Amino acid sequence: MTKTWVTPGGVHPPENKHQSLTQPIGHLPIPAKLVIPLSQHIGAPASPCVEIGQQVLKGQVIAEATGVVSIPMHAPSSGTISAIEHRPIAHPSGMLAPCIEITTDGADTWIEHQGISDYEHIAPRKLIEMVGNAGISGMGGAGFPAAVKLNPGRQRPIHTLIINATECEPYITADDSAIRERAGEIIEGIKILSAILDHPHNILIGIEDNKPEAIAALAPHVEGTGISVVDFPTKYPSGGEKQLIYILTGKELPSGKLPADLGMVCINIGTTYAIKRAVINGEPLISRVTTVTGDAVATPRNYDTLIGTPVSHLLEHNQFNEQAGGRVVMGGPMMGFTLPSADVPIVKTTNCILAPSYAEIPDDEPAQPCIRCGMCAEACPVSLLPQQLFWYAQAQDHDRLEAHNLFDCIECGACSYVCPSNIPLVQYYRAAKGEIRHARDEKVKSDHARERFEFHQARIEEAEREKEAKRAARREAAQQAKASPMAANDSTAGSSAADIIAAAQARAAAKQVSPQEQRAKLERTIAATEQRLQVAEEKLAEAVASQSDKQAVFSAAVENTKQKLEQSKSKLAELAE
Ligand code: SF4
Ligand code: SF4
């Protein structure tokens, strides 16, 4: 048995996984509309490369990656592009973001595609390119582009590949069911990863001991491959990169460092399956396994769901009982968030739609004052001081929050879960992180603005110096001309004085505005003055109607504007003569 280590903190919330594991992974009818957000990952959003009205095939690129840290988007089914616009996306605030809508044709016709089976003979660079072109981002966390993760650079050779098969949130069984049914393809994906990373010495699949069926499903496929399935006691949370690396290797990932800095790469098991489909089958990432569960749905189970499927479509096909449950959560009860609307689409990171009944997950109790019990600190898997972070977040003390490593918080919610005062601690941390990021962005913007201003000032000063130098040269030339009384008659000095006079006349001529320009300027002035007169007359009429004491002010303004208008008109008439 492989040695494992125990992380600090953690909790044991009651499990509710069995409900969604009674049936195999299902498939839903293709929705009439699919909505694909252009940003489902960390990094730059994809840029649309289709037009409204265009026919697209399943798997066709509809938006291209826009940088190194970006991924393309593909059509999850065939149909017609019916909108490219901002739509509500899965976010606690109900925010809008750019999306592409496809009206499906029901035929589900694939674009021509082809994979490769002899990946061992393909250059890693080419395999990484295939992963990138397939639009694969991490499917278990924040959605980091997989191709970037698989390219740690020559200076950071990878000796350990960790496959994250933990699924510690109560209720979620998407990875568990995928391993039970797709173990062979997952192991094939791990072999591709091994080839890309130049065959690391250790390949470890980390999985909790509450998934015996999944562990048994992996066993025959890993035999003789050098891949180890490492199970460890179930505890929430264990699925963060930092926690899993510690559990499997005993190595601590320092704050601000990446697993690659320790010679490790950590990939989610769902992502591993997507990599197999991309390389061997030539398929982009257009669907994922999503758990639909909770007492408010009639048939909790896992579905192979097309990206872009509205959450409402999943609920309708599971006889969602709105009376039994008031809210729909994206993710699990610990780290998920309540959706403001069920019209948002499933994205590449959506592992669960939870529709609990009121009895199952009651509404949050009102928060009480902190009693300084310290239970939150005991539960924190990152050894932070949640109580202190809470105070600093309330005080918006950003410096102290950063000094207390707020950004190491993985937002697992273990502290909120144990808090006897029902303080929604993790919500304070999320909000504080948002404020700090916003403040940093604003600082960058103001630094840029200051640099632009200083550059502009320097240019003005430089131009002023040049002008002053020219003025000094002209003064000197004029004094020289004055100093010689015969200058005008002297053939040599005369030419210098004549030159100065000619240059001055040329400058004066250059400054003169042509009649056409004068006319255009006057016409613009007349139009603007007429507008001002209209506004002033309206205000005067209002003041008269309401017998306001401002009548005199507006009447003077009207007279004044009329005079200016007359002056401009008469100047224009003079010019015409
Ligand atoms: S668990 Fe809640 S009440 Fe106890 S110290 Fe932490 S914040 Fe305060
Ligand atoms: S949410 Fe953050 S502070 Fe709270 S237990 Fe998890 S890691 Fe610690």
Side-chain angles (χ1 to χ4, degrees):
M1 186 159 164
T2 315
K3 177 175 163 57
T4 56
W5 283 258
V6 180
T7 50
V11 291
H12 293 91
E15 280 188 13
N16 286 287
K17 290 179 182 269
H18 59 279
Q19 295 101 315
S20 54
L21 284 170
T22 54
Q23 297 185 63
I25 297 171
H27 293 267
L28 290 164
I30 298 168
K33 308 255 185 203
L34 292 164
V35 177
I36 298 96
L38 297 177
S39 183
Q40 303 181 31
H41 54 277
I42 287 180
S47 170
C49 55
V50 286
E51 290 173 355
I52 293 173
Q54 187 177 332
Q55 305 284 315
V56 290
L57 295 172
K58 180 173 183 156
Q60 181 174 336
V61 176
I62 54 172
E64 287 166 345
T66 53
V68 179
V69 186
S70 183
I71 52 169
M73 299 295 158
H74 303 78
S77 188
S78 55
T80 309
I81 302 295
S82 42
I84 303 175
E85 62 190 19
H86 281 66
R87 291 286 178 88
I89 57 157
H91 193 273
S93 68
M95 69 186 266
L96 306 179
C99 295
I100 297 178
E101 182 193 77
I102 299 173
T103 300
T104 56
D105 58 14
D108 209 29
T109 313
W110 264 103
I111 195 167
E112 204 176 310
H113 59 289
Q114 200 177 12
I116 49 166
S117 53
D118 61 340
Y119 54 85
E120 280 287 356
H121 301 109
I122 305 286
R125 186 183 39 78
K126 177 76 189 145
L127 293 172
I128 292 173
E129 199 180 298
M130 290 178 85
V131 171
N133 290 342
I136 300 174
S137 52
M139 295 168 75
F144 195 76
V148 180
K149 218 178 206 188
L150 293 174
N151 199 2
R154 281 178 182 279
Q155 67 283 12
R156 293 192 292 189
I158 300 302
H159 54 71
T160 303
L161 169 61
I162 291 176
I163 304 300
N164 191 345
T166 59
E167 199 166 40
C168 46
E169 270 264 11
Y171 285 92
I172 306 180
T173 56
D175 288 346
D176 193 349
S177 60
I179 300 169
R180 292 181 191 202
E181 296 184 33
R182 301 170 174 176
E185 287 187 275
I186 287 169
I187 299 301
E188 201 66 46
I190 296 174
K191 290 179 184 167
I192 296 168
L193 288 169
S194 173
I196 290 174
L197 296 168
D198 198 18
H199 303 285
H201 304 312
N202 299 322
I203 304 180
L204 310 170
I205 302 176
I207 186 165
E208 302 119 312
D209 60 6
N210 64 348
K211 300 179 183 59
E213 293 86 352
I215 294 168
L218 288 168
H221 297 283
V222 296
E223 230 175 84
T225 60
I227 301 169
S228 307
V229 179
V230 185
D231 66 306
F232 51 87
T234 303
K235 181 169 76 167
Y236 177 86
S238 302
E241 275 187 348
K242 203 175 171 124
Q243 284 70 46
L244 189 58
I245 286 173
Y246 185 76
I247 291 168
L248 298 183
T249 68
K251 300 256 176 11
E252 284 201 35
L253 185 62
S255 181
K257 292 283 179 191
L258 294 171
D261 296 320
L262 297 181
M264 301 185 197
V265 163
C266 201
I267 300 278
N268 171 266
I269 200 123
T271 317
T272 308
Y273 173 75
I275 288 171
K276 183 267 166 184
R277 300 294 299 188
V279 173
I280 300 203
N281 305 75
E283 293 174 7
L285 176 53
I286 52 170
S287 68
R288 64 153 298 138
V289 180
T290 302
T291 308
V292 181
T293 189
D295 285 352
V297 294
T299 50
R301 70 185 292 186
N302 284 285
Y303 288 95
D304 197 335
T305 315
L306 292 179
I307 305 300
T309 299
V311 170
S312 54
H313 185 77
L314 280 161
L315 295 174
E316 275 162 29
H317 285 274
N318 282 282
Q319 296 87 46
F320 173 51
N321 179 353
E322 214 167 340
Q323 269 72 47
R327 58 184 169 143
V328 176
V329 175
M330 186 170 272
M334 299 297 286
M335 290 184 76
F337 58 90
T338 302
L339 288 173
S341 151
D343 288 333
V344 300
I346 297 293
V347 293
K348 296 176 182 181
T349 50
T350 310
N351 53 5
C352 181
I353 297 298
L354 171 62
S357 65
Y358 290 114
E360 203 177 3
I361 303 184
D363 286 343
D364 295 336
E365 299 271 320
Q368 305 292 327
C370 170
I371 55 168
R372 304 180 186 211
C373 63
M375 286 168 72
C376 49
E378 280 173 33
C380 182
V382 197
S383 304
L384 298 176
L385 297 170
Q387 178 195 356
Q388 245 118 324
L389 289 174
F390 167 56
W391 291 336
Y392 298 142
Q394 274 187 313
Q396 297 186 319
D397 189 339
H398 294 175
D399 291 341
R400 283 213 170 89
L401 282 167
E402 292 205 59
H404 280 73
N405 300 317
L406 172 70
F407 282 90
D408 282 354
C409 166
I410 57 170
E411 298 178 18
C412 66
C415 50
S416 311
Y417 179 77
V418 296
C419 178
S421 295
N422 303 312
I423 302 172
L425 296 164
V426 75
Q427 288 179 25
Y428 280 92
Y429 309 149
R430 275 190 199 131
K433 283 183 186 175
E435 282 166 18
I436 293 173
R437 285 194 192 106
H438 181 69
R440 283 178 188 164
D441 290 349
E442 288 300 305
K443 185 170 179 313
V444 169
K445 274 190 214 156
S446 84
D447 285 351
H448 283 167
R450 200 192 61 244
E451 278 166 21
R452 274 202 308 275
F453 173 74
E454 284 171 0
F455 181 66
H456 181 66
Q457 283 298 104
R459 272 178 45 197
I460 290 175
E461 283 166 18
E462 179 62 28
E464 199 48 49
R465 273 196 295 278
E466 281 173 13
K467 270 189 202 162
E468 186 50 44
K470 280 183 190 162
R471 276 198 290 267
R474 280 200 299 274
R475 272 199 302 273
E476 198 182 330
Q479 273 168 3
Q480 277 177 8
K482 225 173 168 183
S484 167
M486 299 303 291
N489 297 327
D490 185 280
S491 63
T492 50
S495 95
S496 161
D499 284 351
I500 291 166
I501 292 161
Q505 283 171 341
R507 282 199 304 279
K511 280 193 177 172
Q512 268 191 356
V513 181
S514 71
Q516 288 91 335
E517 284 171 328
Q518 284 182 41
R519 195 173 302 121
K521 198 174 166 193
L522 277 168
E523 281 168 356
R524 283 199 299 276
T525 311
I526 288 168
T529 316
E530 278 174 343
Q531 251 182 9
R532 278 207 301 280
L533 180 60
Q534 195 185 343
V535 173
E537 282 177 338
E538 280 169 11
K539 286 191 174 164
L540 177 59
E542 273 173 31
V544 170
S546 62
Q547 297 190 331
S548 156
D549 54 5
K550 288 189 179 165
Q551 281 181 42
V553 178
F554 290 128
S555 129
V558 167
E559 279 314 308
N560 209 0
T561 318
K562 273 183 183 168
Q563 272 180 20
K564 279 187 186 157
L565 188 60
E566 283 312 311
Q567 281 168 6
S568 301
K569 280 184 176 170
S570 60
K571 273 189 196 164
L572 187 63
E574 276 170 27
L575 203 64
E577 285 164 11

